[in-house]
Amino acid sequence: CKGYLKNSSCQEEFSKRPDYIVDMGIDAERYNVAGIMNIMASCYEGLYMFDDALDAFIAANNACPEVSQHIIGAGNALVKMNKIDEAIALLLSKKKTEYWKPKKYKDVFGKNITDSSYRDSINERILDLAEKKSKGYVYRPRKDSAEKNTHVK
């Protein structure tokens, strides 16, 4: 994961950012750091290293807390650690943040935009996890893949 992130093409990609990030007032440098941590978290998750994935998702969220995908990723890592109640509690805690309220801004054309995607995406995941919990969901990794990656740390 870390070797990939040192690659010059990866660094060049993260020097770019979508225009809407600027429109919404999100600091591009924090957004890029969070994106890198999010990629690392996904790498760890793919290697069944869920503790490391959780740490990287939390670091991404700390770098750019106004983007919901990082905290949702942290919740997903908790679910894969069979900590569904902790995942729900983590997501519910975001209702108390300033990012919960819809964000109003003007796009590049001067049009007023109201963005409630942070709230909507977290609410959707909370509902999904509540349903999984009600059905007794337990994460079971594919045995062959998990066994291949237990030596990696």
Side-chain angles (χ1 to χ4, degrees):
C1 294
K2 292 176 184 173
Y4 168 76
L5 295 172
K6 290 179 182 176
N7 180 306
S8 63
S9 64
C10 177
Q11 291 176 0
E12 180 181 319
E13 189 61 32
F14 277 104
S15 68
K16 304 172 189 172
R17 75 224 176 277
D19 287 338
Y20 71 87
I21 295 301
V22 174
D23 294 341
M24 292 178 69
I26 297 173
D27 178 83
E29 186 174 330
R30 287 187 307 105
Y31 180 79
N32 292 342
V33 168
I36 291 168
M37 295 309 297
N38 201 67
I39 289 172
M40 285 184 65
S42 296
C43 290
Y44 286 133
E45 206 171 23
L47 294 170
Y48 297 85
M49 298 169 65
F50 302 126
D51 287 324
D52 292 328
L54 177 61
D55 291 344
F57 279 125
I58 294 295
N61 184 69
N62 290 342
C64 197
E66 60 270 45
V67 176
S68 63
Q69 78 183 56
H70 312 307
I71 204 65
I72 290 171
N76 292 343
L78 286 167
V79 170
K80 290 178 179 178
M81 296 162 69
N82 287 314
K83 297 179 178 182
I84 200 164
D85 289 328
E86 286 182 45
I88 292 170
L90 177 66
L91 295 174
L92 285 171
S93 74
K94 297 304 161 186
K95 289 186 174 190
K96 298 173 186 159
T97 67
E98 64 186 277
Y99 310 111
W100 193 255
K101 296 177 186 172
K103 183 144 177 114
K104 296 180 182 194
Y105 63 97
K106 290 189 185 281
D107 68 9
V108 293
F109 303 108
K111 182 179 175 187
N112 289 325
I113 303 292
T114 300
D115 179 14
S116 62
S117 61
Y118 182 91
R119 179 184 63 200
D120 296 344
S121 60
I122 291 177
N123 268 336
E124 183 178 322
R125 189 63 181 138
I126 290 168
L127 292 173
D128 180 51
L129 292 180
E131 182 180 345
K132 284 183 178 198
K133 181 181 174 183
S134 73
K135 293 179 179 180
Y137 177 84
V138 174
Y139 176 75
R140 290 181 178 78
R142 289 173 282 167
K143 188 176 180 180
D144 60 329
S145 297
E147 286 176 356
K148 287 178 188 175
N149 293 306
T150 55
H151 68 283
V152 179
K153 197 78 166 132

PDB file of all heavy atoms in Angstrom, residues 17 21-22 24-34 63-64 66-67:
ATOM      1  N   ARG A  17      -8.077  17.614  -8.004  1.00  0.00           N
ATOM      2  CA  ARG A  17      -9.252  17.441  -7.166  1.00  0.00           C
ATOM      3  C   ARG A  17     -10.469  17.884  -7.955  1.00  0.00           C
ATOM      4  O   ARG A  17     -10.376  18.761  -8.815  1.00  0.00           O
ATOM      5  CB  ARG A  17      -9.168  18.198  -5.863  1.00  0.00           C
ATOM      6  CG  ARG A  17      -9.393  19.692  -6.059  1.00  0.00           C
ATOM      7  CD  ARG A  17      -8.404  20.503  -5.293  1.00  0.00           C
ATOM      8  NE  ARG A  17      -8.528  21.907  -5.528  1.00  0.00           N
ATOM      9  CZ  ARG A  17      -7.999  22.548  -6.552  1.00  0.00           C
ATOM     10  NH1 ARG A  17      -7.372  21.920  -7.481  1.00  0.00           N
ATOM     11  NH2 ARG A  17      -8.120  23.844  -6.652  1.00  0.00           N
ATOM     12  N   ILE A  21     -15.177  20.142  -4.851  1.00  0.00           N
ATOM     13  CA  ILE A  21     -14.485  20.202  -3.561  1.00  0.00           C
ATOM     14  C   ILE A  21     -14.176  21.657  -3.224  1.00  0.00           C
ATOM     15  O   ILE A  21     -14.385  22.109  -2.110  1.00  0.00           O
ATOM     16  CB  ILE A  21     -13.196  19.351  -3.587  1.00  0.00           C
ATOM     17  CG1 ILE A  21     -13.546  17.869  -3.752  1.00  0.00           C
ATOM     18  CG2 ILE A  21     -12.336  19.587  -2.364  1.00  0.00           C
ATOM     19  CD1 ILE A  21     -14.438  17.329  -2.659  1.00  0.00           C
ATOM     20  N   VAL A  22     -13.690  22.391  -4.206  1.00  0.00           N
ATOM     21  CA  VAL A  22     -13.393  23.802  -3.998  1.00  0.00           C
ATOM     22  C   VAL A  22     -14.684  24.583  -3.785  1.00  0.00           C
ATOM     23  O   VAL A  22     -14.782  25.418  -2.890  1.00  0.00           O
ATOM     24  CB  VAL A  22     -12.603  24.367  -5.199  1.00  0.00           C
ATOM     25  CG1 VAL A  22     -12.409  25.872  -5.051  1.00  0.00           C
ATOM     26  CG2 VAL A  22     -11.256  23.669  -5.323  1.00  0.00           C
ATOM     27  N   MET A  24     -17.406  23.656  -2.476  1.00  0.00           N
ATOM     28  CA  MET A  24     -17.972  23.407  -1.149  1.00  0.00           C
ATOM     29  C   MET A  24     -17.102  23.966  -0.030  1.00  0.00           C
ATOM     30  O   MET A  24     -17.453  23.876   1.134  1.00  0.00           O
ATOM     31  CB  MET A  24     -18.186  21.903  -0.937  1.00  0.00           C
ATOM     32  CG  MET A  24     -19.282  21.334  -1.817  1.00  0.00           C
ATOM     33  SD  MET A  24     -19.491  19.564  -1.588  1.00  0.00           S
ATOM     34  CE  MET A  24     -20.171  19.512   0.061  1.00  0.00           C
ATOM     35  N   GLY A  25     -15.943  24.510  -0.371  1.00  0.00           N
ATOM     36  CA  GLY A  25     -15.077  25.096   0.640  1.00  0.00           C
ATOM     37  C   GLY A  25     -14.213  24.085   1.374  1.00  0.00           C
ATOM     38  O   GLY A  25     -13.721  24.358   2.462  1.00  0.00           O
ATOM     39  N   ILE A  26     -14.030  22.917   0.788  1.00  0.00           N
ATOM     40  CA  ILE A  26     -13.193  21.896   1.420  1.00  0.00           C
ATOM     41  C   ILE A  26     -11.742  22.140   1.009  1.00  0.00           C
ATOM     42  O   ILE A  26     -11.448  22.311  -0.172  1.00  0.00           O
ATOM     43  CB  ILE A  26     -13.637  20.478   1.004  1.00  0.00           C
ATOM     44  CG1 ILE A  26     -15.067  20.222   1.486  1.00  0.00           C
ATOM     45  CG2 ILE A  26     -12.683  19.422   1.560  1.00  0.00           C
ATOM     46  CD1 ILE A  26     -15.661  18.922   0.996  1.00  0.00           C
ATOM     47  N   ASP A  27     -10.851  22.149   1.966  1.00  0.00           N
ATOM     48  CA  ASP A  27      -9.439  22.368   1.712  1.00  0.00           C
ATOM     49  C   ASP A  27      -8.875  21.199   0.891  1.00  0.00           C
ATOM     50  O   ASP A  27      -8.974  20.041   1.290  1.00  0.00           O
ATOM     51  CB  ASP A  27      -8.704  22.484   3.051  1.00  0.00           C
ATOM     52  CG  ASP A  27      -7.227  22.660   2.873  1.00  0.00           C
ATOM     53  OD1 ASP A  27      -6.791  23.801   2.659  1.00  0.00           O
ATOM     54  OD2 ASP A  27      -6.506  21.640   2.942  1.00  0.00           O
ATOM     55  N   ALA A  28      -8.310  21.510  -0.265  1.00  0.00           N
ATOM     56  CA  ALA A  28      -7.843  20.483  -1.199  1.00  0.00           C
ATOM     57  C   ALA A  28      -6.736  19.616  -0.599  1.00  0.00           C
ATOM     58  O   ALA A  28      -6.695  18.415  -0.833  1.00  0.00           O
ATOM     59  CB  ALA A  28      -7.365  21.136  -2.492  1.00  0.00           C
ATOM     60  N   GLU A  29      -5.842  20.203   0.173  1.00  0.00           N
ATOM     61  CA  GLU A  29      -4.746  19.419   0.752  1.00  0.00           C
ATOM     62  C   GLU A  29      -5.279  18.385   1.745  1.00  0.00           C
ATOM     63  O   GLU A  29      -4.889  17.222   1.711  1.00  0.00           O
ATOM     64  CB  GLU A  29      -3.738  20.331   1.445  1.00  0.00           C
ATOM     65  CG  GLU A  29      -2.518  19.572   1.930  1.00  0.00           C
ATOM     66  CD  GLU A  29      -1.453  20.495   2.498  1.00  0.00           C
ATOM     67  OE1 GLU A  29      -1.347  21.652   2.049  1.00  0.00           O
ATOM     68  OE2 GLU A  29      -0.728  20.041   3.388  1.00  0.00           O
ATOM     69  N   ARG A  30      -6.205  18.806   2.601  1.00  0.00           N
ATOM     70  CA  ARG A  30      -6.804  17.849   3.544  1.00  0.00           C
ATOM     71  C   ARG A  30      -7.584  16.771   2.795  1.00  0.00           C
ATOM     72  O   ARG A  30      -7.548  15.602   3.155  1.00  0.00           O
ATOM     73  CB  ARG A  30      -7.753  18.559   4.520  1.00  0.00           C
ATOM     74  CG  ARG A  30      -7.071  19.384   5.561  1.00  0.00           C
ATOM     75  CD  ARG A  30      -8.031  19.946   6.615  1.00  0.00           C
ATOM     76  NE  ARG A  30      -9.171  20.672   6.069  1.00  0.00           N
ATOM     77  CZ  ARG A  30     -10.431  20.197   6.028  1.00  0.00           C
ATOM     78  NH1 ARG A  30     -10.710  19.017   6.503  1.00  0.00           N
ATOM     79  NH2 ARG A  30     -11.404  20.917   5.517  1.00  0.00           N
ATOM     80  N   TYR A  31      -8.265  17.178   1.737  1.00  0.00           N
ATOM     81  CA  TYR A  31      -9.029  16.235   0.924  1.00  0.00           C
ATOM     82  C   TYR A  31      -8.105  15.185   0.317  1.00  0.00           C
ATOM     83  O   TYR A  31      -8.414  13.998   0.300  1.00  0.00           O
ATOM     84  CB  TYR A  31      -9.782  16.995  -0.171  1.00  0.00           C
ATOM     85  CG  TYR A  31     -10.609  16.117  -1.069  1.00  0.00           C
ATOM     86  CD1 TYR A  31     -11.848  15.648  -0.658  1.00  0.00           C
ATOM     87  CD2 TYR A  31     -10.162  15.768  -2.336  1.00  0.00           C
ATOM     88  CE1 TYR A  31     -12.619  14.848  -1.490  1.00  0.00           C
ATOM     89  CE2 TYR A  31     -10.927  14.972  -3.167  1.00  0.00           C
ATOM     90  CZ  TYR A  31     -12.152  14.513  -2.743  1.00  0.00           C
ATOM     91  OH  TYR A  31     -12.906  13.719  -3.568  1.00  0.00           O
ATOM     92  N   ASN A  32      -6.947  15.608  -0.171  1.00  0.00           N
ATOM     93  CA  ASN A  32      -5.990  14.690  -0.776  1.00  0.00           C
ATOM     94  C   ASN A  32      -5.376  13.742   0.246  1.00  0.00           C
ATOM     95  O   ASN A  32      -5.215  12.555  -0.029  1.00  0.00           O
ATOM     96  CB  ASN A  32      -4.903  15.466  -1.512  1.00  0.00           C
ATOM     97  CG  ASN A  32      -5.438  16.189  -2.727  1.00  0.00           C
ATOM     98  OD1 ASN A  32      -6.514  15.880  -3.213  1.00  0.00           O
ATOM     99  ND2 ASN A  32      -4.701  17.164  -3.209  1.00  0.00           N
ATOM    100  N   VAL A  33      -5.009  14.245   1.412  1.00  0.00           N
ATOM    101  CA  VAL A  33      -4.472  13.394   2.472  1.00  0.00           C
ATOM    102  C   VAL A  33      -5.511  12.347   2.854  1.00  0.00           C
ATOM    103  O   VAL A  33      -5.208  11.153   2.987  1.00  0.00           O
ATOM    104  CB  VAL A  33      -4.048  14.226   3.703  1.00  0.00           C
ATOM    105  CG1 VAL A  33      -3.775  13.339   4.907  1.00  0.00           C
ATOM    106  CG2 VAL A  33      -2.829  15.076   3.371  1.00  0.00           C
ATOM    107  N   ALA A  34      -6.739  12.766   3.004  1.00  0.00           N
ATOM    108  CA  ALA A  34      -7.811  11.843   3.355  1.00  0.00           C
ATOM    109  C   ALA A  34      -7.994  10.792   2.267  1.00  0.00           C
ATOM    110  O   ALA A  34      -8.209   9.616   2.562  1.00  0.00           O
ATOM    111  CB  ALA A  34      -9.110  12.611   3.586  1.00  0.00           C
ATOM    112  N   ALA A  63      -8.669  13.792   8.866  1.00  0.00           N
ATOM    113  CA  ALA A  63      -8.096  14.750   7.926  1.00  0.00           C
ATOM    114  C   ALA A  63      -9.181  15.543   7.201  1.00  0.00           C
ATOM    115  O   ALA A  63      -9.007  16.724   6.916  1.00  0.00           O
ATOM    116  CB  ALA A  63      -7.216  14.035   6.903  1.00  0.00           C
ATOM    117  N   CYS A  64     -10.289  14.890   6.911  1.00  0.00           N
ATOM    118  CA  CYS A  64     -11.345  15.542   6.127  1.00  0.00           C
ATOM    119  C   CYS A  64     -12.717  15.029   6.607  1.00  0.00           C
ATOM    120  O   CYS A  64     -13.366  14.232   5.931  1.00  0.00           O
ATOM    121  CB  CYS A  64     -11.128  15.248   4.652  1.00  0.00           C
ATOM    122  SG  CYS A  64     -12.016  16.349   3.548  1.00  0.00           S
ATOM    123  N   GLU A  66     -15.614  16.226   6.756  1.00  0.00           N
ATOM    124  CA  GLU A  66     -16.837  16.613   6.057  1.00  0.00           C
ATOM    125  C   GLU A  66     -17.184  15.690   4.894  1.00  0.00           C
ATOM    126  O   GLU A  66     -18.202  15.872   4.234  1.00  0.00           O
ATOM    127  CB  GLU A  66     -16.765  18.072   5.594  1.00  0.00           C
ATOM    128  CG  GLU A  66     -15.642  18.395   4.657  1.00  0.00           C
ATOM    129  CD  GLU A  66     -14.354  18.832   5.341  1.00  0.00           C
ATOM    130  OE1 GLU A  66     -13.931  18.200   6.326  1.00  0.00           O
ATOM    131  OE2 GLU A  66     -13.744  19.801   4.867  1.00  0.00           O
ATOM    132  N   VAL A  67     -16.345  14.677   4.631  1.00  0.00           N
ATOM    133  CA  VAL A  67     -16.609  13.693   3.581  1.00  0.00           C
ATOM    134  C   VAL A  67     -17.025  12.388   4.261  1.00  0.00           C
ATOM    135  O   VAL A  67     -16.248  11.795   4.995  1.00  0.00           O
ATOM    136  CB  VAL A  67     -15.368  13.494   2.683  1.00  0.00           C
ATOM    137  CG1 VAL A  67     -15.600  12.415   1.651  1.00  0.00           C
ATOM    138  CG2 VAL A  67     -14.985  14.808   2.019  1.00  0.00           C
TER     139      VAL A  67
END
